[in-house]
Amino acid sequence: MATIVLVHGVWMDASVWRDVIPALQQAGHSVHGVQLPLTSFEDDVAATRRVLGHAAGDITLVGHSYGGAVITAAAAEDARVKKLVYIAGLAAEAGEVFGALMGMKPPAAQIDLQPDAEGFLWVTAEQFQDALAHDVPHEQIALLTAVQKPYAAKLFGASLPLPAWKTRPSWYLVAAVDRILSPTTQRILAQRIGATMREVDASHTPQLSKPQAVLAIIQEAAAA
């Protein structure tokens, strides 16, 4: 069985994988969930590499949303990472600013945010519901809002030097009714990195609304 390392996106933590981790473990995989600090891109890559260093064996590295950019950088110098899986993820090219990917094709919803006094961005329950997780039950929205991890606004001004997808096989799960990262953008990203592409009728957080689809593509990649 492969080792699976899961990397979350912004406003969330590793608990967003709570419906996926037990099933992977029951299938015999060793699973690790990275807790990103979301303070800088460099900090997030370092946190991911720390977990990779702790993990054993060949690794399938999974990134959701902004976590896709993180895994693209973190895996570049780790030969034990054999496969990459993007869940509605930012699969960036070298030198490409992450924020530009968000606006490649207009999303269905726009979130107007202002950084707090320390330069971090927060969202409301309404923004979670309308833009990020419109197919997730209300009680889960309340939980996401309560435990959200704000992110440093500068994250989406970062870029990466060497994309790992150039040297590793990759898989991409398109969230077909995503309101914050256009499904059209996701398909473009998947195609240009040569990923095996799957789709699910889900919002930007399919690991919460359609965990079986997320589980299926991770297992497909791990078994390939």
Side-chain angles (χ1 to χ4, degrees), residues 12-47:
M12 302 173 191
D13 66 6
S15 68
V16 75
W17 305 103
R18 59 184 175 269
D19 293 328
V20 175
I21 290 174
L24 289 171
Q25 291 173 328
Q26 289 166 15
H29 297 290
S30 174
V31 185
H32 302 270
V34 178
Q35 295 284 12
L36 297 180
L38 300 178
T39 48
S40 74
F41 180 62
E42 294 75 16
D43 290 345
D44 294 337
V45 172

Side-chain angles (χ1 to χ4, degrees), residues 169-207:
S170 55
W171 283 254
Y172 198 111
L173 183 65
V174 174
V177 291
D178 195 328
R179 294 178 178 175
I180 197 67
L181 180 61
S182 165
T184 303
T185 297
Q186 294 179 45
R187 295 182 190 106
I188 292 171
L189 297 180
Q191 290 167 359
R192 78 176 186 177
I193 70 174
T196 298
M197 183 167 54
R198 305 287 181 245
E199 293 205 16
V200 62
D201 190 28
S203 68
H204 192 60
T205 52
Q207 63 270 65

Side-chain angles (χ1 to χ4, degrees), residues 112-128:
D112 184 21
L113 299 172
Q114 296 298 322
D116 65 16
E118 296 182 347
F120 285 82
L121 298 172
W122 303 75
V123 285
T124 64
E126 290 74 19
Q127 289 165 332
F128 258 121

Side-chain angles (χ1 to χ4, degrees), residues 8-105:
H8 61 83
V10 297
W11 294 307
M12 302 173 191
D13 66 6
S15 68
V16 75
W17 305 103
R18 59 184 175 269
D19 293 328
V20 175
I21 290 174
L24 289 171
Q25 291 173 328
Q26 289 166 15
H29 297 290
S30 174
V31 185
H32 302 270
V34 178
Q35 295 284 12
L36 297 180
L38 300 178
T39 48
S40 74
F41 180 62
E42 294 75 16
D43 290 345
D44 294 337
V45 172
T48 302
R49 286 178 172 162
R50 193 173 304 119
V51 174
L52 293 176
H54 173 70
D58 291 344
I59 297 168
T60 298
L61 185 56
V62 183
H64 169 236
S65 188
Y66 162 76
V70 175
I71 69 170
T72 305
E77 298 177 1
D78 194 328
R80 292 182 308 122
V81 177
K82 303 300 184 184
K83 294 94 176 263
L84 302 172
V85 181
Y86 295 87
I87 310 298
L90 299 182
E93 180 58 271
E96 191 169 42
V97 175
F98 308 145
L101 298 179
M102 301 298 296
M104 184 182 292
K105 297 291 181 180

Side-chain angles (χ1 to χ4, degrees), residues 11-13 15 18 128 141-150:
W11 294 307
M12 302 173 191
D13 66 6
S15 68
R18 59 184 175 269
F128 258 121
I141 295 293
L143 179 60
L144 285 171
T145 307
V147 302
Q148 69 175 288
K149 293 186 70 171

